[in-house]
Amino acid sequence: MVYASATKGFKSGGYNTVAIQPAFSPETALNYEAGLKSKLLDDRLRLNLAAFYTKYNDMQLALVMNGADGLYSEIKNAAKAVTKGIEASVTLKLTSRIELSGSLQLLNARLVNFVSVDPQNPALGAIDHKGNPLSRAPDKTFNLAAQYTWPTASGAVTLRGEGNYRSKIYYTPFKNNYASN
């Protein structure tokens, strides 16, 4: 099956309730995706591929702020952000008992326009954070797995081994190393 889609969505605006703060605007997103889902070799091989591009306007970012009573979360709008990437996954049944699988995701999720003061480093002043990665968006992710299934009188027992990798992620839009993993 080959597919393509174009979708538009939004997230409502609102008000930050912890402190008297300005309202935040609705976030809108326009997404394009194309891909392939296939079953080959008498259903022993599944291959899925996808490519996507999403453009955000007024993206809502939850920021940790320092207040008189301690830390609190405040939502602010970044002007623009873009995500684009590809995903691939494959599953191969070598025999009725042995299965191998793997997947790969390459992602470029970046702020396009966001000028702001980092609440954890206010002395730096307002900085353009253009090009910073979106929160919790790794550039690369992949995994590999192998499993073996033994039939039993009452069902089956499966032994599975997996390995995965995820590149560095940041938990704020300011690309601070202390808020990364």
Side-chain angles (χ1 to χ4, degrees):
M1 175 179 85
V2 176
Y3 68 93
S5 68
T7 55
K8 185 175 184 179
F10 77 98
K11 192 187 306 181
S12 296
Y15 296 91
N16 291 291
T17 58
V18 173
I20 298 173
Q21 300 293 331
F24 53 92
S25 301
E27 171 185 304
T28 60
L30 184 58
N31 181 66
Y32 302 96
E33 183 173 347
L36 166 75
K37 294 188 180 285
S38 64
K39 291 183 181 180
L40 307 164
L41 304 175
D42 294 326
D43 286 347
R44 291 187 312 118
L45 176 65
R46 273 185 305 197
L47 177 63
N48 299 325
L49 303 169
F52 57 90
Y53 175 88
T54 306
K55 181 179 178 183
Y56 296 89
N57 285 312
D58 291 324
M59 176 177 252
Q60 296 172 5
L61 301 174
L63 306 179
V64 176
M65 309 295 284
N66 288 318
D69 295 328
L71 300 176
Y72 66 94
S73 178
E74 180 181 328
I75 297 176
K76 290 192 174 193
N77 292 101
K80 295 182 188 297
V82 170
T83 63
K84 53 189 171 185
I86 58 171
E87 296 177 345
S89 66
V90 62
T91 302
L92 176 61
K93 284 189 163 199
L94 290 175
T95 69
S96 62
R97 295 183 183 189
I98 301 172
E99 183 176 289
L100 305 174
S101 61
S103 67
L104 170 69
Q105 179 186 52
L106 302 176
L107 178 65
N108 185 323
R110 300 288 187 260
L111 292 166
V112 174
N113 184 5
F114 180 51
V115 177
S116 177
V117 173
D118 179 349
Q120 304 306 313
N121 295 303
L124 298 175
I127 297 172
D128 187 358
H129 301 284
K130 178 181 181 175
N132 283 6
L134 298 183
S135 296
R136 297 179 174 90
D139 289 338
K140 297 176 197 89
T141 306
F142 68 84
N143 69 52
L144 298 171
Q147 71 181 37
Y148 186 85
T149 302
W150 289 275
T152 65
S154 61
V157 173
T158 300
L159 175 65
R160 182 175 176 89
E162 293 188 28
N164 62 56
Y165 169 81
R166 182 199 71 205
S167 62
K168 188 173 191 174
I169 61 171
Y170 294 91
Y171 294 102
T172 72
F174 304 108
K175 200 175 177 182
N176 298 324
N177 280 326
Y178 64 81
S180 67
N181 184 1

